[in-house]
Amino acid sequence: VKPHERYANNIFEFYRSLCTNRCGRRYVFEIIEQGIVEPIGASSDDWQFSPEMLIFTRKAVRIHRDLDVDWAGITLAIALLDEIELLREQNSHLQQRLSRFTDV
Amino acid sequence: LSIFAGGGGAQAYGFSSCQDFGQRGQDIETELPIFLEDTLSLESKKLFYHFSHHDSAGRVTEMHKTLKVKILIGVVDGERIRLKDQGAPGLGKGASGDLYLRIRLAPHPLFDVEGYNLIITLPAAPWEAALGGKVTLPTLTSKIQLMVSSGSQSGQRLRVKGRGLSGKLGQGDLYAVLKIVMPASSSTSVKEQWQKLAELAPLRFPCRWSEAS
């Protein structure tokens, strides 16, 4: 899904929003290089980052820095956490629909 | 509409260890609960949010802000939208941070959401399901007459095209899920009628234990 232009960050805003200094810039480079975050756009000048990508990167950098986990482990951990959140929400919605059907 | 994340306020994010860019204001992330009806409306939503701001002298002040937010058509539950420069103010000449809103669709008393489709449970009497007929069905904005076919089953989904939420690629549909409801009590004469019906229209369930063996 292409990020909505109104909501998307360009690369400058993405860097800035992550408060890039030397270490921050390196983290962002590694994350993009390894395909953990895939910005939309052919060249780096055109890259667009959705708000979800920014939140993901912020979370990933924090885990990497605080817990010293490698990027592969971080990707897996965040994917699993997101999956749990999604399943919980789906479960809650299905419970709601079921109760509408079964409650008299 | 009041937006306060659990425990009292929006969350501010930044990298305090990043000294070089410490002047830019922090981004703020908070939730924006909206009603299903709001997704069809072109009107702006008023948003109140607050956060703690650390100034250059290290003082912490509680800031309160109000914004008018235009919800674009096609938003979904959980989607994040970015409002540029609406986060915490920067230090000195630093730019403000951004505001990230996470859309939350508030539960509706009648409708459930599945993508851009809406689902409503439609109670029906056994004879309505057996004989068919028109029933009145609420939609998100009005009411419609819906034709129930004769011989409809409980749990069957009846599709009403284009009466769901507005999606990015078109309008979702409304699905009415039939829920057959028995009368609360039956007099002797009604029971006799049911008994006659049972003899006239016997029903076998192959999956039932007593009849499978």
Side-chain angles (χ1 to χ4, degrees), chain A residues 8 17 20 54 58 100 103, chain B residues 21 27 82 100 108-109 179:
Chain A
S17 209
T20 49
L54 181 70
R58 189 177 276 149
R100 287 192 206 269
D103 293 354
Chain B
F21 285 75
D27 290 342
R82 165 183 175 246
Y100 287 87
H108 193 280
K179 172 185 174 180

Side-chain angles (χ1 to χ4, degrees), chain B residues 8 14 23 31 33 57 62 65-66 81 86 96 107 120 124 137 140 161 168 179 192 195-196 200 210:
Chain B
Q23 290 190 334
E31 292 196 341
E62 194 70 9
K65 291 183 86 168
T66 307
I81 59 178
Q86 297 299 339
S96 292
I120 186 168
L137 185 75
L140 202 51
K161 198 169 184 292
K168 283 167 185 144
K179 172 185 174 180
E192 284 172 6
Q195 186 56 47
K196 280 184 189 170
L200 277 171
S210 58

Side-chain angles (χ1 to χ4, degrees), chain A residues 27-45:
Chain A
Y27 285 149
V28 173
F29 177 76
E30 283 178 17
I31 283 173
I32 296 172
E33 179 83 348
Q34 296 197 23
I36 297 168
V37 164
E38 294 179 346
I40 312 297
S43 69
S44 58
D45 291 339

